[in-house]
Amino acid sequence: MASNMKYDVVVIGAGHAGVEAGLASARKGLRTLMLTINLDNIAFMPCNPSVGGPAKGIVVREVDALGGQMAKVIDKTHIQMRMLNTGKGPAVRALRAQADKVLYQQEMKRVLEDEPNLDILQGMVDEMIIEDEEVKGVRTNIGTVYEADAVIVTTGTFLRGEIILGDLKYSSGPNHQMPSVPLADQMKDLGFDIVRFKTGTPPRVNSDSIDYSKTEIQPGDDVPRAFSFETTEFIMDQLPCWLTYTSENTHMIINDNLHLSAMYSGMIKGTGPRYCPSIEDKIVRFNDKPRHQIFLEPEGRDTKEVYVQGLSTSMPENVQREMLASVPGLENARMMRAGYAIEYDALVPTQLWPTLETKKIKNLYTAGQINGTSGYEEAAGQGLIAGINAASKLLGEEELVLSRSDAYIGVLIDDLVTKGTNEPYRLLTSRAEHRLLLRHDNADMRLTEIGHDIGLISDARYDAFQVKKQNIEDEIERLKGIRIKPNELAQSIIAEKGGTALKDGILAIELLRRPEMDYDSIMTIMEDETTLTQEEYEQVEIQVKYEGYIKKSLLQVDKVKRMEKKKIPMDIDYDVIHSLATEARDKLKTVKPLDIAQASRISGVNPADISILLVYIEQGDIKRVNA
Amino acid sequence: MQLETISSISTPVGEGAIAIVRLSGVDAVEIADRLYKGAKSLSSVDSHTINYGHIMDPDTQESVEEVMVAIMRAPRTYTREDIVEINCHGGIHTVNRVLQLTLKHGARMAEPGEFTKRAFLNGRIDLSQAEGVMDFIRSKTTEASKVANQQMQGRLKSYVEDLRQSILNILAQVEVNIDYPEYDDVEEATTEFLQEESRKVKQEIEKLLKSSTQGRILREGLSTVIIGKPNVGKSSLLNYLIQDNKAIVTDVAGTTRDILEEYVNVNGIPLKLIDTAGIRDTDDIVEKIGVERSRQALKEAELILYVLNNNEPLTNEDVEILDSMADQNVISIVNKLDLEAELDVEDLKSRYPGMSIVKTSIINSTGVDELEDRIAGLFFEGEIQSVDSTYVSNNRHIHLLEQAISAISDAIESAEMDVPVDIVQIDLVKTWELLGEVIGEDVSEQLIDQLFSQFCLGK
């Protein structure tokens, strides 16, 4: 065997989790190797060609504020971008971009290639080298060994992947790539709890064969939008998407062929996500709904492939053709790829520490779909955290655990490691109890400092952030000191906005608090030209308008923070605490919570168990002091 | 760790003449002070002193109870925190009210065994006792949940469940708009919609809370005072109620006030007739009105039966007494209908427009059925059917329901100010969670489950 190569960190996989993990580790100065089965498929989007959306879009902003890559790459390679939920409150606004799939991959690959400490290499890992429950490296399918102090597994749906199409079932990774079977076997042999999950994708059709006149146009926003706080060049030349619907005929075809669908013939054993059902599922579960939305999304500028969002299916190919032809606008559509379902192995994520290191094997990290999630953004967020933590641990630095009030990424990871998941996990805004604090607009306010401390945010960017923060604070202070007189100008603008006329003078800040008023009109009333950027004055507006609600949320966060300060010793033996209820004890032993706050979020652990735990820990502390 | 101030009734319920509401925590003295009226404010008195005074409801300025308050400042206390013990003697109803007031004004309901837990955590209890403390918490919790479960059975539980389900439907509709903004099969949940729905929810919770009063009345009896000038028929009324309703006569021993209480049953509602001894023996309660003791009895009464003589005009004395009872539940009984009418009932009506007036001739049993209906109607107005005979009675439940009312009121207020739906949602979610706590449900995944079962979602 050839002489072994030595790296600090090896990343297995180069999907959305892998690239963030590899970049974070390399950028923290560690020699990093990224191994991928196919170098042409770096950051590939096997499913929908889009990034962002409610909750997910905020994750992309968080990734950016922590020094990750996803936001910057999509900003350069999208075909359209939209801000969603603009009619609602600031907490639920979110960006979504349609990606040019090929450009996205190329751009991400270029970034990886340019990274000095990062080697990217085509190769399939068959085995991890493990000694004394500690990972030491990996061995590829051709026998090469790469030694490493830490390994991050980001295998997506490749682990024992199986594609299912009608009555066909064959071993495969997504998009008919090579699956990773020996590694899946090793995971099992190591004693990891494995679940079988399923997901699926719809057919793609040729754009030239679509009759767009029968569909509705869905253009992007015609204002500059970007995910990254650093983006300064905006793509204004955008491509639209199109909306159509299934027909009665579609439903009939599906019902007639249900026995052929892999989902209903018993071929599929894995648990699929409820939020991403196949069209068969939708029609069976909601049979009273006369039609379902179908979005036609171009896969890029230089391809005629169009993604038929909403028609995810595992029907046989000929049935898929019939289904397509029954959709208005797609009567003559020429299918380019058939939809399929894919089953894969995932780790039960309660086997992970909140740092994403496995509890079983030291210095082994997992991120992305292998942890039971779905979605590119969820993967990227985890990859970034796993990369940061693997590197931090090797460097002897403090590991990063984001709390549920810091970031959606914190909510995501806490949900996974504390509660686990019984279906592919997707972030939803309703999973975040501090939703009002975890906004699109303030991702940088929440996380830039942390990103800078970790070393992934440059000093220059950090300084610019400090200026922005200061400008916002200064402006709020200024508005507190200015009194607006009830003069003609003020009254006319207030009337225009539909507000009630002023009786007396009012502080500018109080006027801004009125629901109907905005920052712009306050400036007009004050006959003032603002020096703030739009992002800055949006912050002012939100912080002023929602101050009461934000304060309320912060109070709740304080309560949790107090519990987070009560750490649970790593060597705690739950078996000796007799007063714990049996269910609570079992759950605590599995999850191994780091602090009382995390313990209290485990279902089955009730307040009495928490009290008992507190008493026990206190007793231990006293003993330690006395010893 | 700076801990919230906790409060609970620290004496066994229903036993002994004196009951103690105990507060522990940094704000214990401050909270008690908000409710206390005495010679000095509690924050200014020395530690380890007992202070005489009254507990007042700050919202109504009504005196709730005459109390002795022990102030014990940290660290020489059981929990090593500031402790306030409010000694009450007015029976379980009054004690509960004092407890509810402390909760309303900043304390949190203590968990079972929590005082002991704090004593331990603050180093007051010896290390060797830790095992005992843990067992104590476990057994107290089991006991408390047994009691809570008993009190939260059947109809009441399903009532709360239904209410939560209807909130959940609203929440899901808002969430689907947020997480699936392009999903077209659901109406956009507007703030008007939320306002309307929240109002309905609030009404339902208020109904529930009202049932807590009804439940208590059913258990403990409605404290009732019969007053009136001499010879208007008080004794006849009393005798009628007693004879007709199989009275249970109790001599409540050990109370400091030596009041005789008699229980009678009126249309299924137990009346606890207070100070009936006074009526029987002296028949001069009006003259005794100046006596502190009777004033207190009157003030605490939940129902006052004011008896007037049809044969005599209304006197200034009557007006004075009736005026003093303006905030209370009063039924005026114009008795002796068989005699010539000297009393101007129309005048009485116009003076006290909200007051219930019944004309009777008790010795002829005329009008007494109506009187009984009025008494029952005053407290139960047909709602007795809606929540069945199960009632909210657990202090913890009442506390949670009150918090739920405050949360839903915040939601309504936000909706009125037309703030975005997802912000109104915050308090709606809180209401739903609090109601979940009432019936002890794990809430974590329910909303998401609802989202995906109600709507056909997904790309």
Side-chain angles (χ1 to χ4, degrees):
Chain A
M1 200 185 295
S3 75
N4 296 342
M5 308 254 308
K6 171 89 178 76
Y7 284 89
D8 297 320
V9 175
V10 165
V11 179
I12 307 174
H16 304 283
V19 296
E20 297 293 350
L23 286 170
S25 161
R27 287 168 178 169
K28 281 184 69 70
L30 297 188
R31 281 204 65 218
T32 306
L33 172 67
M34 186 183 294
L35 283 157
T36 169
I37 290 175
N38 185 344
L39 206 51
D40 296 325
N41 281 336
I42 284 172
F44 178 60
M45 297 184 186
C47 202
N48 56 321
S50 77
V51 168
K56 290 159 165 280
I58 301 176
V59 169
V60 180
R61 298 273 279 181
E62 293 172 351
V63 166
D64 183 63
L66 289 167
Q69 200 60 39
M70 181 175 244
K72 291 198 171 89
V73 174
I74 188 66
D75 281 350
K76 280 192 180 169
T77 61
H78 62 272
I79 59 166
Q80 72 154 251
M81 219 184 260
R82 287 176 64 193
M83 183 68 87
L84 304 172
N85 287 335
T86 46
K88 305 189 183 82
V92 295
R93 275 172 219 156
L95 265 186
R96 190 181 60 208
Q98 294 300 133
D100 184 314
K101 278 189 176 181
V102 173
L103 280 185
Y104 188 91
Q105 285 182 254
Q106 285 172 352
E107 174 64 18
M108 189 62 88
K109 187 171 176 222
R110 191 192 57 73
V111 173
L112 298 179
E113 287 164 350
D114 285 347
E115 194 61 46
N117 286 320
L118 183 66
D119 288 344
I120 46 177
L121 179 72
Q122 184 161 298
M124 173 147 86
V125 172
D126 269 3
E127 193 191 349
M128 297 172 293
I129 298 156
I130 287 157
E131 289 166 17
D132 298 329
E133 301 191 332
E134 183 173 342
V135 73
K136 297 290 184 187
V138 299
R139 182 181 285 113
T140 67
N141 60 341
I142 53 169
T144 319
V145 168
Y146 298 94
E147 284 180 36
D149 295 326
V151 171
I152 304 170
V153 187
T154 64
T155 47
T157 58
F158 281 80
L159 276 192
R160 211 186 303 282
E162 283 181 299
I163 282 187
I164 304 136
L165 187 61
D167 56 359
L168 274 178
K169 185 170 190 173
Y170 55 93
S171 189
S172 173
N175 201 30
H176 311 276
Q177 303 177 74
M178 290 228 296
S180 180
V181 179
L183 193 60
D185 288 338
Q186 192 193 13
M187 285 287 183
K188 217 165 218 173
D189 292 343
L190 286 170
F192 282 108
D193 266 345
I194 306 287
V195 283
R196 198 83 179 137
F197 279 169
K198 168 254 158 187
T199 184
T201 193
R204 275 70 152 175
V205 297
N206 187 313
S207 179
D208 288 347
S209 64
I210 297 173
D211 181 356
Y212 288 108
S213 68
K214 294 181 177 166
T215 66
E216 292 165 36
I217 192 164
Q218 305 260 299
D221 293 345
D222 54 8
V223 292
R225 301 268 190 217
F227 278 100
S228 172
F229 291 94
E230 282 189 301
T231 293
T232 49
E233 282 172 41
F234 303 90
I235 298 173
M236 297 309 291
D237 167 30
Q238 304 191 47
L239 297 182
C241 295
W242 308 85
L243 171 64
T244 179
Y245 297 89
T246 57
S247 65
E248 250 174 72
N249 203 7
T250 321
H251 297 207
M252 217 162 71
I253 295 165
I254 290 168
N255 278 321
D256 287 351
N257 290 286
L258 212 50
H259 60 287
L260 298 174
S261 158
M263 283 305 295
Y264 287 87
S265 63
M267 293 283 289
I268 292 179
K269 303 269 187 302
T271 311
R274 285 173 297 177
Y275 46 79
C276 196
S278 63
I279 188 72
E280 297 95 286
D281 251 358
K282 291 189 202 175
I283 282 164
V284 170
R285 287 184 48 218
F286 296 90
N287 61 7
D288 55 337
K289 223 189 140 179
R291 59 179 202 174
H292 296 272
Q293 289 167 312
I294 302 286
F295 292 92
L296 303 172
E297 305 177 348
E299 295 223 332
R301 290 176 196 274
D302 294 321
T303 175
K304 289 187 172 166
E305 256 186 279
V306 172
Y307 181 90
V308 186
Q309 197 227 93
L311 215 62
S312 177
T313 179
S314 59
M315 285 283 193
E317 210 174 288
N318 60 325
V319 181
Q320 292 193 25
R321 278 205 184 81
E322 273 186 68
M323 284 158 56
L324 284 170
S326 70
V327 173
L330 300 182
E331 291 88 348
N332 300 307
R334 297 199 306 275
M335 188 163 79
M336 294 179 71
R337 292 177 212 238
Y340 60 85
I342 184 166
E343 279 189 339
Y344 55 97
D345 280 1
L347 295 192
V348 172
T350 49
Q351 299 171 99
L352 304 172
W353 298 114
T355 58
L356 296 181
E357 186 181 1
T358 63
K359 291 169 187 168
K360 205 177 275 295
I361 309 291
K362 212 174 142 195
N363 293 352
L364 177 64
Y365 294 77
T366 58
Q369 250 164 325
I370 189 176
N371 290 345
T373 59
S374 86
Y376 314 140
E377 305 81 356
E378 286 89 338
Q382 291 173 68
L384 177 63
I385 298 296
I388 289 170
N389 282 331
S392 296
K393 193 174 178 199
L394 298 184
L395 293 166
E397 295 169 5
E398 198 187 335
E399 290 161 291
L400 176 64
V401 176
L402 295 173
S403 78
R404 298 180 70 90
S405 51
D406 287 334
Y408 270 99
I409 300 175
V411 173
L412 162 72
I413 294 177
D414 181 64
D415 276 349
L416 291 175
V417 305
T418 308
K419 296 181 184 139
T421 180
N422 48 22
E423 66 178 329
Y425 177 101
R426 175 191 167 154
L427 262 180
L428 297 163
T429 65
S430 47
R431 294 194 196 268
E433 64 276 37
H434 310 299
R435 178 158 79 186
L436 186 54
L437 303 177
L438 307 182
R439 302 189 308 270
H440 166 91
D441 61 270
N442 72 350
D444 57 340
M445 296 289 148
R446 292 184 270 127
L447 300 169
T448 307
E449 185 105 42
I450 297 173
H452 183 246
D453 287 348
I454 292 165
L456 296 183
I457 294 291
S458 69
D459 288 342
R461 179 169 173 184
Y462 182 66
D463 293 343
F465 159 74
Q466 290 292 358
V467 170
K468 176 179 173 185
K469 203 171 143 191
Q470 194 60 48
N471 286 347
I472 295 164
E473 282 169 21
D474 290 350
E475 181 65 357
I476 291 176
E477 275 314 304
R478 185 174 83 101
L479 295 180
K480 280 182 188 165
I482 292 174
R483 194 155 197 93
I484 288 175
K485 294 191 188 77
N487 58 28
E488 210 171 298
L489 176 66
Q491 302 290 32
S492 74
I493 286 171
I494 290 167
E496 200 180 298
K497 290 274 165 193
T500 44
L502 295 179
K503 289 198 189 75
D504 291 308
I506 185 172
L507 287 180
I509 198 157
E510 294 304 327
L511 191 58
L512 182 55
R513 249 187 259 283
R514 289 190 176 184
E516 71 277 4
M517 298 305 290
D518 54 36
Y519 182 82
D520 266 347
S521 32
I522 302 283
M523 286 304 111
T524 317
I525 291 174
M526 284 163 53
E527 296 179 87
D528 203 345
E529 292 271 331
T530 184
T531 55
L532 266 55
T533 66
Q534 188 182 343
E535 282 206 340
E536 286 167 350
Y537 72 68
E538 268 174 15
Q539 277 290 306
V540 171
E541 225 171 59
I542 292 166
Q543 287 187 26
V544 170
K545 278 187 179 300
Y546 301 102
E547 191 190 4
Y549 299 95
I550 292 172
K551 272 193 182 151
K552 223 156 123 179
S553 289
L554 286 173
L555 272 177
Q556 281 179 328
V557 171
D558 275 352
K559 271 190 189 171
V560 179
K561 293 264 174 200
R562 263 184 277 158
M563 298 213 290
E564 277 173 3
K565 283 198 187 116
K566 272 277 170 207
K567 301 290 176 206
I568 299 174
M570 294 297 267
D571 59 354
I572 192 165
D573 180 0
Y574 291 106
D575 282 327
V576 305
I577 315 175
H578 302 297
S579 318
L580 285 175
T582 312
E583 189 194 357
R585 187 183 0 256
D586 291 347
K587 291 274 180 68
L588 287 165
K589 279 163 74 175
T590 308
V591 176
K592 299 189 173 77
L594 300 184
D595 55 52
I596 289 291
Q598 194 193 350
S600 69
R601 287 193 293 267
I602 302 171
S603 67
V605 175
N606 64 38
D609 298 307
I610 293 298
S611 291
I612 289 162
L613 203 52
L614 270 172
V615 168
Y616 182 80
I617 293 167
E618 193 67 22
Q619 175 194 25
D621 286 352
I622 299 167
K623 268 187 190 156
R624 245 165 286 212
V625 172
N626 293 347
Chain B
M1 204 164 25
Q2 194 81 293
L3 293 163
E4 293 165 288
T5 299
I6 52 173
S7 175
S8 78
I9 300 171
S10 67
T11 41
V13 174
E15 293 166 33
I18 289 179
I20 297 171
V21 174
R22 180 196 274 165
L23 292 137
S24 176
V26 276
D27 300 323
V29 178
E30 197 190 319
I31 292 167
D33 228 0
R34 265 175 234 160
L35 312 172
Y36 173 82
K37 205 172 170 186
K40 277 187 185 173
S41 79
L42 294 174
S43 52
S44 64
V45 303
D46 290 339
S47 186
H48 294 75
T49 55
I50 301 232
N51 305 276
Y52 169 81
H54 285 86
I55 294 295
M56 314 283 290
D57 183 339
D59 294 336
T60 61
Q61 283 306 315
E62 168 203 5
S63 164
V64 175
E65 174 71 324
E66 185 183 13
V67 290
M68 303 292 284
V69 181
I71 296 292
M72 291 160 279
R73 289 182 215 280
R76 277 197 307 129
T77 70
Y78 179 61
T79 57
R80 294 214 165 153
E81 299 171 334
D82 285 355
I83 284 188
V84 175
E85 289 185 347
I86 306 173
N87 292 259
C88 314
H89 47 250
I92 188 69
H93 163 49
T94 328
V95 180
N96 279 341
R97 267 200 73 188
V98 173
L99 172 66
Q100 293 295 344
L101 282 172
T102 64
L103 299 177
K104 202 169 168 187
H105 290 272
R108 165 171 76 64
M109 186 92 185
E111 287 159 23
E114 197 170 6
F115 288 97
T116 308
K117 179 180 109 188
R118 288 195 176 189
F120 177 82
L121 291 181
N122 293 326
R124 174 71 168 71
I125 293 180
D126 191 80
L127 185 58
S128 62
Q129 294 172 28
E131 193 76 13
V133 172
M134 289 189 275
D135 287 342
F136 180 69
I137 293 169
R138 168 61 55 208
S139 69
K140 280 283 168 194
T141 304
T142 313
E143 196 182 297
S145 64
K146 218 162 94 189
V147 172
N149 281 339
Q150 279 168 356
Q151 292 172 341
M152 183 52 69
Q153 272 172 352
R155 290 283 290 272
L156 182 56
K157 186 162 185 199
S158 65
Y159 189 89
V160 176
E161 277 167 355
D162 289 351
L163 184 53
R164 290 191 77 228
Q165 186 58 46
S166 57
I167 301 178
L168 198 56
N169 291 340
I170 308 168
L171 294 179
Q173 197 172 334
V174 176
E175 294 303 326
V176 75
N177 288 161
I178 292 168
D179 274 319
Y180 293 88
E182 283 150 345
Y183 181 67
D184 64 348
D185 203 33
V186 61
E187 250 177 77
E188 184 82 21
T190 59
T191 40
E192 291 79 36
F193 166 79
L194 284 187
Q195 198 175 324
E196 199 179 306
E197 294 298 318
S198 301
R199 287 227 166 85
K200 286 187 205 155
V201 169
K202 188 178 175 185
Q203 271 175 14
E204 293 296 314
I205 305 174
E206 276 170 345
K207 235 192 227 175
L208 258 182
L209 257 182
K210 201 166 175 195
S211 86
S212 74
T213 321
Q214 297 173 349
R216 187 185 48 68
I217 289 170
L218 287 180
R219 270 194 328 280
E220 295 163 16
L222 184 69
S223 58
T224 307
V225 173
I226 302 174
I227 59 168
K229 287 184 295 183
N231 291 321
V232 291
K234 297 190 296 289
S235 303
S236 319
L237 177 60
L238 180 64
N239 289 334
Y240 173 81
L241 289 173
I242 290 172
Q243 283 158 16
D244 217 54
N245 294 288
K246 297 167 226 65
I248 320 140
V249 183
T250 354
D251 189 352
V252 181
T255 55
T256 53
R257 271 182 278 173
D258 191 28
I259 294 175
L260 259 188
E261 293 177 354
E262 299 189 45
Y263 286 82
V264 301
N265 191 316
V266 172
N267 286 4
I269 298 168
L271 300 194
K272 182 171 72 180
L273 297 170
I274 293 173
D275 219 3
T276 51
I279 298 173
R280 277 219 188 94
D281 297 348
T282 66
D283 214 9
D284 61 352
I285 189 136
V286 174
E287 287 148 40
K288 277 186 7 190
I289 205 84
V291 179
E292 178 62 29
R293 185 180 79 163
S294 305
R295 280 235 168 110
Q296 185 71 19
L298 252 188
K299 235 174 195 165
E300 281 182 9
E302 288 164 293
L303 174 64
I304 294 163
L305 300 176
Y306 193 77
V307 189
L308 290 158
N309 185 349
N310 180 48
N311 194 227
E312 286 172 24
L314 203 65
T315 63
N316 287 341
E317 211 178 2
D318 287 322
V319 172
E320 198 178 303
I321 295 168
L322 282 168
D323 281 348
S324 75
M325 304 184 304
D327 299 332
Q328 286 172 286
N329 287 309
V330 181
I331 299 179
S332 270
I333 300 162
V334 180
N335 193 29
K336 304 197 180 181
L337 265 191
D338 46 310
L339 301 180
E340 199 178 323
E342 294 288 339
L343 187 109
D344 186 349
V345 178
E346 288 311 311
D347 174 52
L348 187 65
K349 271 185 192 162
S350 65
R351 277 174 190 270
Y352 307 102
M355 190 173 66
S356 198
I357 299 170
V358 187
K359 296 186 202 169
T360 61
S361 169
I362 293 168
I363 49 165
N364 298 324
S365 297
T366 310
V368 287
D369 285 347
E370 199 196 337
L371 174 63
E372 294 195 356
D373 286 347
R374 288 281 180 95
I375 293 173
L378 212 48
F379 292 88
F380 287 87
E381 309 163 75
E383 276 158 30
I384 197 157
Q385 291 97 359
S386 68
V387 209
D388 200 4
S389 55
T390 323
Y391 297 90
V392 184
S393 55
N394 182 296
N395 270 318
R396 202 179 72 84
H397 297 156
I398 294 173
H399 182 43
L400 287 167
L401 288 175
E402 272 173 355
Q403 287 178 289
I405 292 231
S406 135
I408 196 76
S409 306
D410 286 352
I412 294 169
E413 193 187 317
S414 300
E416 280 168 353
M417 291 183 344
D418 207 25
V419 303
V421 283
D422 52 287
I423 301 221
V424 179
Q425 178 93 330
I426 297 173
D427 286 307
L428 211 49
V429 170
K430 198 172 168 202
T431 310
W432 175 70
E433 286 172 349
L434 285 163
L435 290 175
E437 274 187 60
V438 172
I439 53 174
E441 272 198 16
D442 185 19
V443 298
S444 52
E445 286 290 306
Q446 283 182 11
L447 177 56
I448 285 155
D449 291 345
Q450 178 73 20
L451 208 55
F452 292 114
S453 61
Q454 191 173 341
F455 305 107
C456 178
L457 299 170
K459 308 186 118 185

